Amino acid sequence: MKVLLTGANGYVGRRLLPELLNQGHEVICAVRDKMRLGLDKETLSLITIWEVDFLDEVNFDNCPVNIDIAYFLIHSMSSSTETFDLMEAKTAQNFNLYSDYMKVKQVIYLSGIVNDPKLSKHMLSRNNVEKILYGGKPNLTVLKAGIIVGSGSSSFEIIRDLCEKLPIMVTPKWVLTKTQPIAIRDVMKYLIGVQNREDCFDESFDIGGPNVITYKQMMQLYAKTRGIKLAIITIPIMTPKLSSYWLYFVTSTSYKLAMNLVDSMKVEVVCKDNRLQKMLKIKPISYVDAIKLAFEKIEQNLVISSWKDSLTSSRLKGNLTNYIQIPNFGCLKDSKKIKILNSKQVLENIWSIGGEKGWYYGNWMWQLRGFIDKLFGGVGLRRGRTSPTHLDNGDSLDFWRVLLADKENKRLLLFAEMKVPGEAWLEFRIDDNNYLHQIATFRPRGIFGRLYWYSMLPFHFFIFNGMIKRIANSK
């Protein structure tokens, strides 16, 4: 079948793509920026890429046609705390226009469980998107999932952050809200299982795991599974805003996402309809087993996708291509180069930078900068990196964004997403004469940008000198 996969570089989309290819489908990946797909050459040869932003004015140029199944995996929850619902509505409306033109036979939409009468703004938006999609011509199948648990999922990584970092937690009362988590592997089974099934046309189904538990129990079970001692004290006086700041500072989530998550966590997320589980004969994975499976992937460095790599929380506006050409004029630079003996080892050192490995020199200064960034509403260092050794265009890397990861040409280019009065790039490159080049470029915004740069020069002197030497000599 001919399958359109929207959100192909998102958390679920990246997991679903290999499943579709294994089934032998002709897959068209709809992405805003083809540079961000981060696929190997073999996979790229098996798919077609359609660059499209469903928030832009509808344009049928290069639009594929005669689509059998289209997966709608687009959301904007991380983009804004105020207007994401309007963005999601517009995306769905434009998708309907495209799907009518493409003669789509079935649309499969992954949403969230909306059984509680008092819905959060996030779930109201998801519900509204469902209503809009029902207005399109294709047959619609809606899968309403509970919290998704898997390596790299936002829920799993937030719980992991909390339990691994805080042996004693003072928590708001929303931790007593019931939820029904589902393993990412089961989500894949449902997404694949409803393909081209007439008994699933124009139907909505709840999908969840076998356990109905509170968020507090989720954390306690995580701690027990991982052999961690954890004490949780619940207090009723923590406001949603304070809860959001708490999540923001302790975990790797952005403040926008934290606000929307806290808003949703006050609402019970439990399946009321288990028809599809029986129809597809799926035996769901338990929450504890989902945790164990997630860590199998993490320990083997096989995490396919992470919510942290989403561009929705990025400072970048538009495609990565717009930032790859580093400006020459009006910029301040710190350029260094050093002769290297083993270019292969040095390249591996470059590709391992950040995350748990750190920045080779003055890690406490990087951590201090990350803490200051968090205080001013930035992303901080806690995002880390998805893989300890592999980088793709568009990946998050602590408080940087990977613009270009070209291992063949020995070049890594990063763009700063920390709060700075201007724009900053950090480039590593190995030339044909075996010289490692390390170039920090800053385009200041006004007088405050220049003052910022010059105030940081003493730190840059030690950090950048130490960093290039360690990268060149580490084994």
Side-chain angles (χ1 to χ4, degrees), residues 141-338:
T141 302
V142 182
L143 302 180
K144 300 178 179 181
I147 285 176
I148 297 176
V149 180
S151 55
S153 76
S154 58
S155 306
F156 172 79
E157 294 298 341
I158 287 170
I159 287 172
R160 182 184 177 191
D161 274 349
L162 291 171
C163 295
E164 301 277 356
K165 295 172 182 175
L166 298 175
I168 300 175
M169 263 187 256
V170 179
T171 60
K173 61 182 179 181
W174 53 253
V175 298
L176 302 177
T177 304
K178 289 183 180 178
T179 186
Q180 192 166 350
I182 180 171
I184 183 64
R185 297 190 187 199
D186 287 337
V187 175
M188 293 299 109
K189 291 177 184 177
Y190 283 112
L191 287 169
I192 295 294
V194 297
Q195 286 179 354
N196 206 29
R197 283 187 62 128
E198 292 187 7
D199 56 353
C200 294
F201 288 175
D202 299 319
E203 291 279 358
S204 295
F205 303 97
D206 292 350
I207 59 172
N211 308 115
V212 177
I213 52 180
T214 65
Y215 291 104
K216 182 177 180 178
Q217 290 171 321
M218 284 182 72
M219 290 187 283
Q220 289 171 330
L221 285 170
Y222 176 95
K224 184 178 179 181
T225 304
R226 297 291 294 161
I228 299 169
K229 291 185 178 181
L230 178 66
I232 300 176
I233 303 167
T234 306
I235 59 174
I237 58 174
M238 196 174 286
T239 66
K241 192 166 186 177
L242 192 58
S243 298
S244 302
Y245 280 121
W246 177 67
L247 270 186
Y248 169 63
F249 277 108
V250 175
T251 73
S252 54
T253 185
S254 68
Y255 179 69
K256 292 175 184 176
L257 181 58
M259 279 285 287
N260 290 323
L261 284 173
V262 167
D263 193 33
S264 298
M265 285 172 173
K266 296 181 291 184
V267 179
E268 194 170 280
V269 180
V270 178
C271 295
K272 302 293 185 187
D273 166 20
N274 292 307
R275 288 176 298 148
L276 193 58
Q277 180 182 325
K278 297 174 182 177
M279 289 166 61
L280 301 182
K281 298 177 181 178
I282 291 174
K283 185 179 180 180
I285 299 168
S286 72
Y287 173 64
V288 169
D289 285 341
I291 294 172
K292 292 177 181 177
L293 289 169
F295 272 97
E296 283 182 17
K297 291 290 185 183
I298 292 167
E299 288 162 4
Q300 296 173 42
N301 295 329
L302 295 175
V303 180
I304 297 174
S305 60
S306 171
W307 70 276
K308 291 179 282 189
D309 293 329
S310 169
L311 275 183
T312 51
S313 59
S314 172
R315 291 185 65 204
L316 297 172
K317 307 300 179 185
N319 291 352
L320 300 182
T321 314
N322 301 338
Y323 295 84
I324 285 179
Q325 189 63 44
I326 302 174
N328 290 317
F329 301 102
C331 291
L332 302 165
K333 293 194 176 188
D334 183 298
S335 298
K336 291 181 171 41
K337 71 175 185 178
I338 188 172

Side-chain angles (χ1 to χ4, degrees), residues 340-354:
I340 58 175
L341 299 176
N342 188 340
S343 62
K344 184 177 180 182
Q345 179 60 56
V346 172
L347 193 63
E348 293 304 318
N349 292 343
I350 294 169
W351 249 250
S352 302
I353 200 166

Side-chain angles (χ1 to χ4, degrees), residues 20-230:
L20 296 173
L21 291 176
N22 288 339
Q23 284 190 310
H25 296 305
E26 177 186 349
V27 182
I28 299 162
C29 293
V31 292
R32 287 183 295 171
D33 185 356
K34 63 183 179 182
M35 286 190 64
R36 286 203 59 237
L37 266 175
L39 301 173
D40 57 71
K41 291 181 180 178
E42 183 181 354
T43 305
L44 285 171
S45 68
L46 299 174
I47 65 171
T48 302
I49 300 173
W50 176 36
E51 271 192 309
V52 58
D53 188 338
F54 290 101
L55 283 171
D56 290 343
E57 186 177 344
V58 172
N59 183 347
F60 296 122
D61 293 345
N62 303 316
C63 182
V65 292
N66 299 320
I67 301 295
D68 294 299
I69 295 172
Y71 284 94
F72 188 85
L73 304 176
I74 307 169
H75 68 85
S76 305
M77 189 171 71
S78 300
S79 304
S80 167
T81 57
E82 297 177 358
T83 62
F84 72 87
D85 53 337
L86 300 177
M87 295 166 68
E88 291 188 340
K90 185 177 181 181
T91 296
Q93 290 160 359
N94 286 343
F95 178 83
N96 275 353
L97 295 175
Y98 280 113
S99 61
D100 291 351
Y101 178 85
M102 292 185 289
K103 298 181 173 60
V104 177
K105 295 176 183 176
Q106 181 189 16
V107 172
I108 300 172
Y109 169 42
L110 181 62
S111 182
I113 294 173
V114 290
N115 293 319
D116 197 295
K118 296 179 180 179
L119 294 178
S120 65
K121 185 177 180 179
H122 163 221
M123 295 316 305
L124 281 171
S125 178
R126 292 291 175 92
N127 210 26
N128 185 47
V129 166
E130 179 183 341
K131 292 175 182 176
I132 293 170
L133 293 177
Y134 267 119
K137 292 180 182 178
N139 297 299
L140 178 66
T141 302
V142 182
L143 302 180
K144 300 178 179 181
I147 285 176
I148 297 176
V149 180
S151 55
S153 76
S154 58
S155 306
F156 172 79
E157 294 298 341
I158 287 170
I159 287 172
R160 182 184 177 191
D161 274 349
L162 291 171
C163 295
E164 301 277 356
K165 295 172 182 175
L166 298 175
I168 300 175
M169 263 187 256
V170 179
T171 60
K173 61 182 179 181
W174 53 253
V175 298
L176 302 177
T177 304
K178 289 183 180 178
T179 186
Q180 192 166 350
I182 180 171
I184 183 64
R185 297 190 187 199
D186 287 337
V187 175
M188 293 299 109
K189 291 177 184 177
Y190 283 112
L191 287 169
I192 295 294
V194 297
Q195 286 179 354
N196 206 29
R197 283 187 62 128
E198 292 187 7
D199 56 353
C200 294
F201 288 175
D202 299 319
E203 291 279 358
S204 295
F205 303 97
D206 292 350
I207 59 172
N211 308 115
V212 177
I213 52 180
T214 65
Y215 291 104
K216 182 177 180 178
Q217 290 171 321
M218 284 182 72
M219 290 187 283
Q220 289 171 330
L221 285 170
Y222 176 95
K224 184 178 179 181
T225 304
R226 297 291 294 161
I228 299 169
K229 291 185 178 181
L230 178 66

